[in-house]
Amino acid sequence: MASILLQTPALHAGTIPFSRPPTPGVHPLQIGFCGLGAMGYLMARNLANSFKSQPPLIVYNRTVEKSQKLLAELGASTIKVADTLNQLATECDVIFTCLANDAVVISVYNEFAKALAQSPPTKVKIFVEMGTNYPALAGDLDRMLSSFPHTRFITSPIFGAPLAADKATLVIAMSGDYRSKKEVAFLLVPAVGRKVIDLGENVEKASTLKLIGNGNLAAILELLGETLTLGEKSGIGQQTVYDLITEIMPAPAIISYGKKMINDSFDGSVGFSMDGGIKDSSHILRLSAELNCPMPAVSNAHRSMITTRAIHQAQVVSGTQQWDIIDESALIASSRVAAGLDPFNSKKGTAVVREE
């Protein structure tokens, strides 16, 4: 009889592909977070709020103002500001990093390595990189960190915009040491994200999936920019085209990025910067070349992003720019200029009005 009884579903069934790790011992885990950018700040905030009964989250950011802002928002019982990367590496059991680019990742992890060499760990210590990096870098970091006793490294890039980070609905890819992934997955879901995708023990695989996902987004943004521009130039109007697209393809990225395009909301300081988009598309095209897998749609998006950055930088030189940092959605400027329209102000359009 017992064999046919229904089983109560696990709390995180379908969202975390691992069984729950063992109950922590007498001393709870000390968590650290490095990199409080547009995404990192929101993730660190949510992570800190998720275990207020635990030791305060230790945070570090290159510019201390971001750390102080988080401390002011959550209080000293929830946030502790680290003065150095050495402090983060030596005091924490799990260290999350969310960094801007590969060069910054290398610099930060070299500092971690120096700290570990001076104070070798006596118990398990897990480093988790959550940014968008070239896959081979993950392998380099894993080899470097695994040379220290009890030290583990996993990659855990995230999918979603700042709004998803704010609402803790990110999708999280994960690859590396199995036991470390299990521990980290239950820290991140539901505190930071809604689902974990396990890519196995090869640390490069999660970074690879992240690039594939971002390549898909870049291509979508390019096509979205082209179609909205055609709608404006043809006299249909970009708002009408946007309404149609979001009606038949209501994906969150299309809705949010498309809204930025039609409203000329290109402030990259509150979104994802164009430099970040170019960095990601450069990684994607490098990977596709190494694997002999052409991606012309991503190539077109990459060209549009570089064109848009050039237009913006010319405005910066002349002192006529509206934003100091432009959002990735501004790549529509390339299509607009090619069609004879203003790059960043759709209200100046020269639309063709169709006769009935």
Side-chain angles (χ1 to χ4, degrees), residues 44-57:
R45 183 203 65 195
N46 291 344
L47 193 61
N49 278 329
S50 73
F51 50 78
K52 286 188 174 181
S53 61
Q54 305 291 324
L57 177 72

Side-chain angles (χ1 to χ4, degrees), residues 223-249 254 262:
L223 183 57
L224 186 58
E226 292 175 8
T227 52
L228 290 174
T229 301
L230 179 59
E232 191 68 15
K233 194 67 184 289
S234 66
I236 296 295
Q238 59 178 359
Q239 180 67 58
T240 301
V241 175
Y242 172 78
D243 291 342
L244 170 64
I245 292 173
T246 55
E247 181 66 32
I248 62 177
M249 294 182 289
I254 292 176
I262 64 173

Side-chain angles (χ1 to χ4, degrees), residues 38-39 42 45-46 160-170 192 252 255-256 259-260 270-271:
M39 299 292 287
L42 299 170
R45 183 203 65 195
N46 291 344
L163 180 61
D166 183 43
K167 295 183 177 181
T169 56
L170 297 166
V192 170
I255 293 172
S256 61
K259 185 176 295 184
K260 290 182 178 183
V270 293

Side-chain angles (χ1 to χ4, degrees), residues 9-10 31 91 93-94 104 118 138 196 247 254 271 280 283 307 318 325 342 344-345 354:
I31 313 298
E91 293 187 11
D93 302 305
V94 181
V104 176
Q118 293 170 358
V196 168
E247 181 66 32
I254 292 176
D280 289 357
H283 282 337
T307 299
S318 65
I325 302 172
D342 187 273
F344 303 125
N345 188 346
R354 288 187 174 274

Side-chain angles (χ1 to χ4, degrees), residues 279-291:
K279 180 262 294 184
D280 289 357
S281 61
S282 296
H283 282 337
I284 298 160
L285 293 175
R286 174 185 169 189
L287 182 65
S288 72
E290 289 181 358
L291 298 177

Side-chain angles (χ1 to χ4, degrees), residues 10 12 14 20 24 26 55 126 128 146 151 159 201 245 251 266 273 294 298 306-307 332 335 353:
H12 297 290
R20 183 174 287 279
V26 177
I126 306 171
V128 186
S146 63
T151 306
F159 294 90
E201 298 209 1
I245 292 173
F266 301 134
S273 73
V298 177
I306 291 177
T307 299
I332 191 176
S335 293
V353 177

Side-chain angles (χ1 to χ4, degrees), residues 5-338:
L5 294 178
L6 295 176
Q7 301 297 310
T8 301
L11 178 62
H12 297 290
T15 62
I16 300 178
F18 311 110
S19 60
R20 183 174 287 279
T23 302
V26 177
H27 301 289
L29 292 173
Q30 176 62 68
I31 313 298
F33 203 104
C34 174
L36 302 179
M39 299 292 287
Y41 185 93
L42 299 170
M43 290 191 290
R45 183 203 65 195
N46 291 344
L47 193 61
N49 278 329
S50 73
F51 50 78
K52 286 188 174 181
S53 61
Q54 305 291 324
L57 177 72
I58 301 179
V59 298
Y60 177 88
N61 196 67
R62 180 178 56 83
T63 54
V64 72
E65 290 80 10
K66 289 283 190 71
S67 298
Q68 294 295 342
K69 178 184 176 182
L70 190 59
L71 173 61
E73 181 179 346
L74 300 184
S77 64
T78 306
I79 294 293
K80 176 181 177 181
V81 177
D83 296 321
T84 65
L85 288 169
N86 183 301
Q87 179 184 354
L88 202 66
T90 54
E91 293 187 11
C92 297
D93 302 305
V94 181
I95 300 96
F96 293 96
T97 60
C98 186
L99 304 167
N101 55 55
D102 290 26
V104 176
V105 171
I106 291 170
S107 175
V108 167
Y109 275 82
N110 279 339
E111 291 300 311
F112 287 156
K114 291 176 185 177
L116 296 175
Q118 293 170 358
S119 302
T122 58
K123 60 179 181 177
V124 171
K125 189 180 295 289
I126 306 171
F127 289 87
V128 186
E129 167 52 18
M130 304 184 76
T132 305
N133 309 303
Y134 199 70
L137 177 57
D140 293 339
L141 296 175
D142 186 45
R143 285 185 288 273
M144 179 177 71
L145 292 176
S146 63
S147 66
F148 300 103
H150 310 293
T151 306
R152 310 286 184 264
F153 173 74
I154 66 174
T155 48
S156 189
I158 44 92
F159 294 90
L163 180 61
D166 183 43
K167 295 183 177 181
T169 56
L170 297 166
V171 174
I172 305 164
M174 201 172 283
S175 60
D177 173 67
Y178 181 82
R179 291 185 178 181
S180 300
K181 288 186 297 185
K182 177 187 291 193
E183 191 74 57
V184 170
F186 281 87
L187 291 175
L188 294 179
V189 176
V192 170
R194 59 185 173 87
K195 182 181 180 66
V196 168
I197 301 173
D198 180 26
L199 276 299
E201 298 209 1
N202 182 337
V203 292
E204 298 186 11
K205 294 303 183 183
S207 298
T208 301
L209 180 64
K210 174 60 174 171
L211 291 185
I212 292 172
N214 282 19
N216 184 61
L217 176 60
I220 289 172
L221 295 186
E222 169 65 18
L223 183 57
L224 186 58
E226 292 175 8
T227 52
L228 290 174
T229 301
L230 179 59
E232 191 68 15
K233 194 67 184 289
S234 66
I236 296 295
Q238 59 178 359
Q239 180 67 58
T240 301
V241 175
Y242 172 78
D243 291 342
L244 170 64
I245 292 173
T246 55
E247 181 66 32
I248 62 177
M249 294 182 289
I254 292 176
I255 293 172
S256 61
Y257 278 99
K259 185 176 295 184
K260 290 182 178 183
M261 289 179 179
I262 64 173
N263 292 322
D264 302 325
S265 300
F266 301 134
D267 185 359
S269 67
V270 293
F272 187 68
S273 73
M274 185 65 72
D275 284 344
I278 291 173
K279 180 262 294 184
D280 289 357
S281 61
S282 296
H283 282 337
I284 298 160
L285 293 175
R286 174 185 169 189
L287 182 65
S288 72
E290 289 181 358
L291 298 177
N292 294 322
C293 183
M295 299 187 73
V298 177
S299 296
N300 288 341
H302 184 68
R303 181 193 62 222
S304 290
M305 285 188 276
I306 291 177
T307 299
T308 299
R309 185 172 66 178
I311 295 168
H312 178 254
Q313 287 181 350
Q315 292 185 347
V316 171
V317 170
S318 65
T320 59
Q321 83 278 11
Q322 185 173 348
W323 312 276
D324 292 332
I325 302 172
I326 52 171
D327 188 80
E328 185 180 24
S329 60
L331 62 71
I332 191 176
S334 177
S335 293
R336 288 176 177 175
V337 169

